[in-house]
Amino acid sequence: MDSFVIEGGTTLRGEVQVGGSKNAVLPIMAATLLTRETCVIRRVPDLSDVRFMCSILESLGATVAFADGTLTIRAENISGTGNYDLIRKMRGSICILGPLMGRLLRASVSLPGGCVIGTRPIDLHLKGLEALGARMRIEGGYVHAETPGLHGGVIFLGGRSGPTVLGTANVVMASVLAEGVTVIESAACEPEVVDLCHFLNGMGARIHGAGSPTITVTGVAALGGVDHEVIADRIEAGTFAVAAAASGGRVTLKGARAEHLGAVLDKLRESGAAIERHAGGLTVTAGQAVRPLEITTMPYSGFPTDMQAQFMAMLCLAPGTSIVTERIFESRFMHAAELMRLGADIGIEGPSAIIRGGRPLSGAEVMASDLRASAALVIAGIAAQGRTQVHRVYHLDRGYERMEVKLAALGARIERTRGE
Ligand code: EPZ
């Protein structure tokens, strides 16, 4: 397993190209199952999660080619049973359930299981598909779904933590070929859901209201191929923005969509950074010092849970007390213990982390645990004095393409060491 070795104390300067969105491209790849025709998807990041989804689609019978950031997928003849080993390893693959139901009226998909940030239930996915006429059965670690035909309906998809992103994606993808009109209330508003709906409408679907809490889908008889460019990854952009602010530097994020980062940029300004928006992206300039913050994660367009760990790393440097409250997932503070190995002073009180910042961080060996927690450790390692070794960076490779290469180009002293 690979590690990153970081010599801290550097300031990040320069510009970095933001890649395509992981969380947009995964459901978009699943949506190609809804047509026999060829789909072309551009600005696809080369990530292990993307490679996994390619393998899942191929295991279902699709032909997949991936070169130079472009995916060409044709699902001419497919089966309805997803490969347990592949699906269990990547939670995001649950989003093949909706398109398989839409295309074949039957599907058997392994339950995704939990991960370090929470139990990751799919009750809302199943509620939505049942409302469209699917009959669901949980057996042997699989969800087995079938229906004589899918029909429209009115579905309230909100859960105890608010909307569900992939649950909304699954229900939209099951409804585009259903008989009649589907109205999804309390739908997720994330830009990744909007990008999926743009992709589906490009295939001939009739979806309105994407990006709002109410999405209306009018079923059509068939969908065709499409050529689509994925939106920029707002979480990759946000991660590099925080790294710039935490290191005292100035970084231009080429291709970043500032309109997808409202809450993140607002908190960066409040912490003392300056933000310049321009046609090609945005530039983040660190302030004299990082100021403490109070952050609560919320559904979009509130502060994104996927940026919580990265901000916690930066707030370890802010003299004073910061409070970070996680309202989306039940256990997304795995990074706190590892940050404390770097000298941070963090206390966990239920859903909140209390960060008493301002003491300098010093390098240490730390263990990555989840995609965004790993990013937090890299940010902290760059800001810390001395050497930090981040183990198990395969977690990072799931969601950040060549992160160490991009950071080194900005002046970080970071290199990947190949593990056994
Ligand atoms: C997506 O996960 C993202 N993943 C996550 O990003 C992101 O953190 C999350 O949305 C929230 O924004 C992808 O898009 C691949 P949810 P998803 O369903 O859709 C509860 C990253 O780091 N819930 O919106 O699986 C759930 O437990 C990843 O890139 C139910 O109760 O998340 C959670 O508390 C991590 N029942 C809340 O809703 C359900 O049926 C939000 O989950 C489904 C979800």
Side-chain angles (χ1 to χ4, degrees):
M1 284 183 263
D2 292 0
S3 301
F4 282 167
V5 179
I6 302 166
E7 296 298 340
T10 54
T11 299
L12 301 184
R13 293 190 190 290
E15 55 183 42
V16 61
Q17 180 64 51
V18 177
S21 165
K22 164 180 90 80
N23 289 350
V25 78
L26 293 175
I28 283 173
M29 291 171 73
T32 63
L33 295 167
L34 285 161
T35 179
R36 306 169 63 88
E37 295 181 13
T38 297
C39 294
V40 177
I41 308 168
R42 301 179 192 281
R43 190 163 47 185
V44 178
D46 191 353
L47 304 169
S48 53
D49 272 11
V50 169
R51 297 277 176 181
F52 249 120
M53 185 59 93
C54 290
S55 306
I56 288 167
L57 295 177
E58 286 172 328
S59 75
L60 291 166
T63 54
V64 180
F66 187 20
D68 303 326
T70 297
L71 270 171
T72 305
I73 301 173
R74 179 159 196 171
E76 193 168 6
N77 300 299
I78 55 166
S79 77
T81 300
N83 175 312
Y84 170 78
D85 276 341
L86 287 172
I87 291 172
R88 185 179 53 78
K89 286 181 187 150
M90 184 180 75
R91 177 182 152 63
S93 53
I94 190 65
C95 62
I96 66 171
L97 183 56
L100 284 175
M101 287 305 291
R103 171 80 181 273
L104 300 175
L105 306 183
R106 60 178 171 76
S108 290
V109 176
S110 74
L111 290 169
C115 63
V116 290
I117 64 177
T119 55
R120 312 301 295 275
I122 60 166
D123 58 302
L124 298 171
H125 298 237
L126 305 184
K127 171 185 176 183
L129 296 175
E130 281 171 341
L132 298 177
R135 286 194 292 270
M136 324 298 282
R137 178 171 50 86
I138 306 278
E139 191 177 292
Y142 274 74
V143 55
H144 302 281
E146 62 180 353
T147 177
L150 293 171
H151 56 71
V154 180
I155 306 161
F156 182 82
L157 215 47
R160 64 185 176 287
S161 310
T164 163
V165 173
L166 289 182
T168 301
N170 257 331
V171 174
V172 165
M173 289 191 280
S175 67
V176 290
L177 295 172
E179 186 69 35
V181 177
T182 298
V183 178
I184 304 170
E185 296 173 339
S186 192
C189 303
E190 273 71 2
E192 294 77 26
V193 173
V194 176
D195 205 29
L196 170 65
C197 291
H198 285 164
F199 182 83
L200 290 164
N201 282 345
M203 296 171 78
R206 293 175 56 195
I207 304 169
H208 297 90
S212 83
T214 304
I215 296 178
T216 303
V217 183
T218 304
V220 295
L223 294 178
V226 64
D227 188 320
H228 177 86
E229 181 173 272
V230 174
I231 54 170
D233 192 315
R234 62 189 168 104
I235 306 301
E236 183 192 29
T239 301
F240 279 95
V242 170
S247 74
R250 174 182 165 85
V251 173
T252 293
L253 305 164
K254 288 165 60 180
R257 297 273 296 270
E259 67 273 26
H260 292 163
L261 284 160
V264 170
L265 299 180
D266 178 58
K267 284 299 176 184
L268 276 173
R269 282 192 199 92
E270 190 183 332
S271 74
I275 309 290
E276 299 156 68
R277 300 171 68 149
H278 37 79
L282 57 93
T283 298
V284 177
T285 306
Q288 286 305 311
V290 178
R291 292 199 288 261
L293 295 172
E294 292 199 18
I295 290 174
T296 300
T297 65
M298 287 182 275
Y300 193 86
S301 59
F303 188 90
T305 175
D306 291 349
M307 285 299 306
Q308 179 257 106
Q310 300 91 315
F311 266 79
M312 188 184 291
M314 180 179 76
L315 293 172
C316 295
L317 308 168
T321 300
S322 296
I323 302 174
V324 174
T325 301
E326 173 58 58
R327 291 285 183 212
I328 304 297
F329 289 107
E330 62 264 34
S331 61
R332 199 170 195 174
F333 287 142
M334 297 292 285
H335 40 288
E338 295 304 298
L339 289 170
M340 286 190 262
R341 285 180 50 75
L342 299 175
D345 179 353
I346 303 171
I348 305 296
E349 298 286 338
S352 296
I354 318 295
I355 301 111
R356 285 172 285 276
R359 291 197 321 218
L361 299 179
S362 57
E365 291 207 40
V366 289
M367 192 74 75
S369 57
D370 130 79
L371 171 55
R372 309 304 176 184
S374 318
L377 297 178
V378 172
I379 290 169
I382 291 170
Q385 297 302 323
R387 169 172 295 194
T388 295
Q389 195 160 357
V390 183
H391 296 293
R392 299 185 180 171
V393 292
Y394 63 85
H395 288 291
L396 272 169
D397 294 333
R398 289 188 44 221
Y400 293 95
E401 185 175 359
R402 298 179 308 119
M403 186 185 213
E404 79 278 14
V405 174
K406 292 185 174 183
L407 287 169
L410 293 171
R413 282 179 293 170
I414 180 172
E415 61 181 23
R416 180 187 292 259
T417 58
R418 298 285 171 194
E420 58 283 353

